Amino acid sequence: MCDDAIMPDMEHYPCVESLLTTLDPEHPVYCIYPHVYQRSAAAFVSGFPGRVLYAVKACAEPEVIRLLAESGVRHFDCASLVEIETVKTVFPQACCYFMVPVLLRGEARSAQKNFDVRHFVIDHPDGIKRLKSEIEMSGSVIFARLAVHHDAAMHDLSLRFGAPAEQVPALLKAIASTGAEAALAFNVGSMVTEPGAYRHAISIAAEIMSNLPFDIRLVDIGGGFPRSYPQFSMPPLDRYFEAISEAKHRLPVTAGGEILTEPGRALAAPGLSAISEVLLRKDDRLYLNDGMHGIFWELRYEGHKQFACRCYRGGERLQGKLRPFTLYGPTCDSADVLPEKVELPRDIRVGDHLEFGGLGAYSLSGRTDFNGRYSDHVVMLDSPDALPPGYSRYNQ
Ligand SMILES: *Cc1c(COP(=O)(O)O)cnc(C)c1O
């Protein structure tokens, strides 16, 4: 498909300096670094010992989806018809999986009829009933989602979704009795801080599978792979891949069996930056044109509290002695303040620009238009040498 058909207005600049010199933007600008996405996605796909599904909710920006697809991601974990449609528009050959156990009435039917979706998930017997009434079960793969808990997950995803281990065999048998292929899924959590959490969950899955009267071909181990941020250092992804490669031999999958993963953050985070302008300085407090209701939406959750940052004046990098600043957003909400002070050049002033790096996950997809503050200005920075702030330190 021709790029112009999808993104008629996407501007390209070689690097952030040329963008700032050309535009001197008064609204926030979000920058895609295509080479960074290509590199990090290719490393994930070649390093993970199985099938990689991108969890679209982490960043549904079409250009990011296209870059991931170009870099070898062929499968997409979607949670709504809108996400499926976005993916299929950008990359018609994509294989979309509808991996949320609670769907709107008619959604499964439309997904199968219009987009040929064949992979669904349930965590309750009523989910099977709903699917049976809407889709062709034979030829479909239905995952039963198992709830697993581990202390190494910053965000436990098993509180809302997933069936207790003792109910999973009955769900798998009920799926198989409909003529669909029964498969197993779980999610360790999001921002999983230790590779051992996957080992633990895989051993629970192995136990369930070894007591079933039939074989399972596909085991989806979910997403949750972390990225590092300032003051928030995580193990490198290779350590997770090694732990999973080892543990996967314990799974009694059939010949031709495969494990699947659904990374969101690990694929979405590295290649996106955000440019904000300083609107007002009061001593050690800076007021920016983007904030907690905008691109920094994710900082309200437990986990990392900062993004790597660079400062620019008139398109030139501003260096010099640093001091900590409190950063406020542009809305009238008193909670519109970033959770941790950020070290910035002492003489920073109104009109300077800040570039924050590594914030592709849960940022564009979370921002709101609260108070009428909203930017949809997304550009490409496509010099192969251009790197977002913090890239080399936080993305090994
Ligand atoms: C959010 C989500 C993911 C992605 O989680 P990350 O922590 O971003 O990798 C994967 N699978 C499911 C079912 C999710 O809800």
Side-chain angles (χ1 to χ4, degrees):
M1 185 178 286
C2 163
D3 286 358
D4 293 349
I6 305 162
M7 293 275 126
D9 299 315
M10 179 77 69
E11 301 152 58
H12 290 242
Y13 300 90
C15 57
V16 71
E17 287 87 350
S18 76
L19 177 154
L20 289 170
T21 313
T22 313
L23 291 182
D24 186 21
E26 65 264 52
H27 294 287
V29 182
Y30 308 121
C31 308
I32 295 173
Y33 288 73
H35 297 90
V36 167
Y37 273 125
Q38 283 159 352
R39 227 172 300 158
S40 57
F44 196 107
V45 171
S46 66
F48 183 80
R51 194 185 297 178
V52 176
L53 285 56
Y54 171 52
V56 176
K57 79 172 189 287
C59 179
E61 161 62 38
E63 200 62 13
V64 170
I65 292 170
R66 187 183 66 76
L67 285 163
L68 297 179
E70 269 177 19
S71 315
V73 178
R74 298 279 172 269
H75 307 268
F76 293 83
D77 161 13
C78 300
S80 66
L81 263 185
V82 171
E83 286 185 356
I84 293 171
E85 196 166 359
T86 303
V87 170
K88 284 292 205 177
T89 305
V90 176
F91 181 53
Q93 309 93 303
C95 185
C96 289
Y97 299 55
F98 214 153
M99 295 303 278
V100 63
V102 181
L103 300 179
L104 306 193
R105 191 166 12 99
E107 254 186 334
R109 178 183 292 120
S110 301
Q112 187 155 78
K113 189 163 145 250
N114 302 330
F115 301 105
D116 200 25
V117 172
R118 293 191 308 111
H119 299 79
F120 297 87
V121 63
I122 54 96
D123 65 356
H124 188 270
D126 284 357
I128 304 173
K129 254 191 258 167
R130 165 63 68 85
L131 288 177
K132 252 174 93 172
S133 71
E134 295 195 10
I135 64 168
E136 189 58 57
M137 296 301 268
S138 100
S140 293
V141 178
I142 313 296
F143 291 85
R145 180 153 160 188
L146 158 74
V148 288
H149 306 270
H150 197 281
D151 287 345
M154 301 231 82
H155 310 287
D156 191 334
L157 296 176
S158 64
L159 302 174
R160 281 190 66 199
F161 292 132
E166 59 275 15
Q167 292 172 14
V168 170
L171 286 174
L172 290 166
K173 287 173 199 164
I175 291 167
S177 75
T178 67
E181 175 180 342
L184 187 58
F186 55 80
N187 254 274
V188 176
S190 190
M191 204 69 138
V192 177
T193 57
E194 287 170 30
Y198 292 89
R199 220 178 285 129
H200 167 76
I202 288 171
S203 68
I204 298 173
E207 169 85 27
I208 291 173
M209 287 163 66
S210 58
N211 292 315
L212 285 175
F214 50 84
D215 291 327
I216 296 281
R217 189 175 61 94
L218 300 176
V219 179
D220 181 346
I221 68 164
F225 300 95
R227 286 288 183 185
S228 293
Y229 298 90
Q231 331 283 350
F232 193 85
S233 183
M234 289 286 122
L237 293 182
D238 284 343
R239 294 250 328 271
Y240 290 78
F241 298 160
E242 281 158 25
I244 291 163
S245 290
E246 264 172 51
K248 121 181 173 176
H249 297 298
R250 267 182 262 150
L251 286 173
V253 287
T254 51
E258 228 181 315
I259 60 167
L260 287 62
T261 183
E262 305 167 347
R265 175 185 309 280
L267 290 177
L272 192 98
S273 78
I275 294 173
S276 314
E277 183 178 323
V278 179
L279 304 178
L280 177 66
R281 174 171 177 179
K282 291 181 188 167
D283 194 19
D284 65 346
R285 295 188 287 171
L286 299 179
Y287 295 74
L288 307 181
N289 63 352
D290 211 341
M292 298 298 285
H293 298 282
I295 203 72
F296 301 112
W297 181 80
E298 194 202 23
L299 294 181
R300 73 193 58 215
Y301 296 107
E302 196 194 344
H304 67 103
K305 295 290 170 219
Q306 287 198 27
F307 296 99
C309 182
R310 286 194 294 240
C311 189
Y312 292 88
R313 177 171 298 163
E316 306 251 335
R317 183 80 186 273
L318 186 64
Q319 310 263 20
K321 274 203 143 179
L322 304 177
R323 64 168 288 177
F325 285 92
T326 303
L327 305 183
Y328 293 89
T331 71
C332 302
D333 177 5
S334 54
D336 193 1
V337 54
L338 273 60
E340 226 170 50
K341 292 190 178 195
V342 177
E343 294 276 338
L344 294 169
R346 270 179 184 194
D347 69 335
I348 189 166
R349 63 180 192 223
V350 172
D352 289 342
H353 284 103
L354 301 178
E355 185 189 18
F356 296 89
L359 48 50
Y362 307 107
S363 56
L364 280 183
S365 58
R367 74 198 194 284
T368 74
D369 63 354
F370 180 68
N371 244 185
R373 300 288 183 208
Y374 182 85
S375 171
D376 207 18
H377 194 171
V378 184
V379 305
M380 297 276 258
L381 300 183
D382 44 19
S383 157
D385 304 327
L387 291 176
Y391 179 71
S392 24
R393 280 177 65 194
Y394 303 119
N395 288 279
Q396 299 84 4

